[in-house]
């Protein structure tokens, strides 16, 4: 059984699920997830670049404490990015399962 929230998401992304095949609907959902992946990655890449700059500045200043802080910040950003990407992938799987359920006779 699929969550009604996920069914509502699918209906938002594919307003008339009955008008598309399962393959077409799956492709639409994947394209939306890919766009979300790209936007998330781009947003977090900016944060990574800024943290990299802080690390390089700390390195230039020979500040071990600042380097450790910048390194930790980079790790946190990367962990956050990985978690967001996992959430997008998981939501996509749920949406495809919902679409499959909706397409069953």
């Amino acid at each position: 059984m699929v969550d009604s929230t996920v069914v509502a998401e699918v209906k938002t992304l594919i307003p008339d699920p009955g008008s598309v095949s399962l393959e077409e609907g799956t492709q639409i959902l994947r394209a939306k997830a890919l766009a979300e992946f790209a936007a998330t990655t781009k947003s977090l890449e900016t944060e990574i670049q800024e943290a990299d700059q802080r690390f390089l500045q700390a390195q230039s200043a020979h500040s071990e404490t600042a380097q450790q802080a910048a390194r930790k910040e980079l790790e946190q950003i990367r962990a956050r990015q990985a978690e967001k990407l996992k959430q997008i992938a998981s939501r996509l799987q749920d949406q495809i399962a919902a679409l499959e359920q909706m397409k069953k006779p």
Side-chain angles (χ1 to χ4, degrees):
M1 196 66 180
V2 291
D3 186 339
S4 61
T5 305
V6 177
V7 171
E9 286 176 6
V10 171
K11 288 181 178 179
T12 299
L13 297 170
I14 307 171
D16 186 9
S19 68
V20 297
S21 69
L22 178 59
E23 294 78 22
E24 291 169 327
T26 299
Q27 188 61 32
I28 291 167
L29 295 174
R30 285 185 178 146
K32 299 281 186 179
L34 183 59
E36 192 175 349
F37 262 75
T40 298
T41 300
K42 184 176 180 179
S43 169
L44 291 173
E45 284 302 316
T46 301
E47 288 184 52
I48 288 171
Q49 289 173 356
E50 291 169 357
D52 276 338
Q53 285 299 318
R54 286 189 288 279
F55 178 77
L56 292 173
Q57 289 170 350
Q59 205 172 26
S60 296
H62 302 292
S63 171
E64 186 63 33
T65 304
Q67 286 178 39
Q68 288 176 354
R71 196 174 298 121
K72 184 175 180 177
E73 181 184 11
L74 280 167
E75 289 171 4
Q76 290 171 341
I77 293 168
R78 288 190 174 113
R80 195 168 65 245
Q81 180 180 35
E83 182 59 32
K84 284 184 179 185
L85 296 178
K86 282 182 199 175
Q87 289 172 357
I88 294 167
S90 177
R91 191 169 58 250
L92 173 61
Q93 288 177 337
D94 291 346
Q95 289 171 343
I96 291 172
L99 180 63
E100 288 172 347
Q101 189 76 25
M102 293 164 66
K103 295 302 249 175
K104 284 187 179 177

